[in-house]
Amino acid sequence: MNIKKSILFIVLILVIDQWSKIYIKTHFVLGESVEVFSWFKILFIENEGAAWGAKLSDILPISDEIGKLVLTIFRLFAIFGIGYWLFDVIRKKASNTLIWAVSLIFAGALGNILDSVFYGIIFNDSYNEVATLFSNEPYGKLFYGKVVDMLYFPMVDTTWPNWVPGFGGKNFRFFEPVFNIADTAISTGVGILLVFNKKAFGKDLDKKDPDNEDYSTLNE
């Protein structure tokens, strides 16, 4: 897999991710949902923090505003790190499995960072109203955007039996988190690295590729 194919793949994911988010922002009120199937809903929420809605201010003695800025800056540094990793594995002609996985992770991370950096200055609030793209009254500032989530899979929504210690009578829902296309790309990329670890990071070189620099070096 070469750099052109990787870029096209990343752009495709970004287009789908951003289109879905912009569509939701400009057609749904915050909290609005549409049932597609009994186990799948489109539910519009916004995430101001990291994964699962966690905030730095929840664990550090800092304000929500500072925590949000620190998180966004951290994401920017992470993007550059993942981007370099992707460039490096392509340059070294690593396995296609590894390149696909890193491309997915990079595309997903970039998709969410676009929300965090720009959405605060191009959208107005979604509370009790449908947001407008390029609004004259944006809800935030640069670096203070909220990540748009909409994919919700409550595949199991039931109540624990009364006889279950500690949980009896309480609601149980699986799968609880609401996420987006970018999150899916990141999770898929990480999943590939975990499940196909040996194939992704295997040290065996492709001897059928005479252009592989590492292989040529070994045979000098």
Side-chain angles (χ1 to χ4, degrees):
M1 184 176 179
N2 57 36
I3 189 68
K4 290 183 179 179
K5 290 181 180 179
S6 177
I7 291 175
L8 287 174
F9 181 59
I10 290 168
V11 169
L12 176 61
I13 294 175
L14 284 176
V15 168
I16 296 173
D17 175 66
Q18 290 300 307
W19 175 85
S20 65
K21 291 173 177 175
I22 292 172
Y23 179 85
I24 292 297
K25 281 285 290 182
T26 55
H27 288 79
F28 283 63
V29 174
L30 190 65
E32 182 178 354
S33 66
V34 173
E35 183 175 294
V36 181
F37 302 106
S38 60
W39 47 268
F40 171 46
K41 297 179 182 179
I42 301 296
L43 171 61
F44 173 31
I45 68 169
E46 290 182 315
N47 181 0
E48 298 186 50
W52 318 109
K55 298 180 181 180
L56 288 179
S57 56
D58 294 335
I59 57 177
L60 297 175
I62 56 177
S63 66
D64 287 348
E65 185 174 4
I66 293 176
K68 173 63 178 175
L69 179 60
V70 170
L71 180 61
T72 300
I73 293 174
F74 172 79
R75 283 173 166 168
L76 286 171
F77 278 105
I79 281 293
F80 282 106
I82 299 169
Y84 177 79
W85 184 22
L86 177 60
F87 171 78
D88 189 54
V89 296
I90 292 176
R91 178 178 61 85
K92 293 180 178 178
K93 299 182 179 179
S95 68
N96 285 337
T97 301
L98 179 58
I99 297 174
W100 282 115
V102 180
S103 296
L104 281 164
I105 295 171
F106 179 79
L110 183 56
N112 281 337
I113 198 65
L114 290 176
D115 299 29
S116 296
V117 173
F118 298 111
Y119 275 25
I121 61 173
I122 64 175
F123 286 109
N124 58 309
D125 263 323
S126 294
Y127 294 103
N128 301 316
E129 64 179 352
V130 174
T132 301
L133 182 62
F134 301 119
S135 170
N136 292 324
E137 298 180 351
Y139 69 77
K141 300 179 291 185
L142 191 69
F143 291 176
Y144 288 91
K146 303 171 186 176
V147 177
V148 175
D149 294 324
M150 79 294 290
L151 303 178
Y152 181 40
F153 290 85
M155 293 180 283
V156 177
D157 192 352
T158 186
T159 302
W160 285 101
N162 291 326
W163 52 265
V164 178
F167 295 96
K170 295 182 180 179
N171 180 256
F172 171 72
R173 184 175 296 158
F174 180 86
F175 178 71
E176 185 72 25
V178 183
F179 54 99
N180 56 44
I181 300 297
D183 296 330
T184 304
I186 294 172
S187 299
T188 302
V190 173
I192 289 173
L193 295 181
L194 293 175
V195 176
F196 302 101
N197 183 272
K198 290 184 178 180
K199 189 172 183 180
F201 296 102
K203 296 182 179 180
D204 292 336
L205 300 174
D206 185 2
K207 296 184 179 181
K208 294 182 180 180
D209 183 4
D211 295 325
N212 191 309
E213 295 177 0
D214 294 333
Y215 172 68
S216 299
T217 301
L218 289 174
N219 286 272
E220 287 180 355

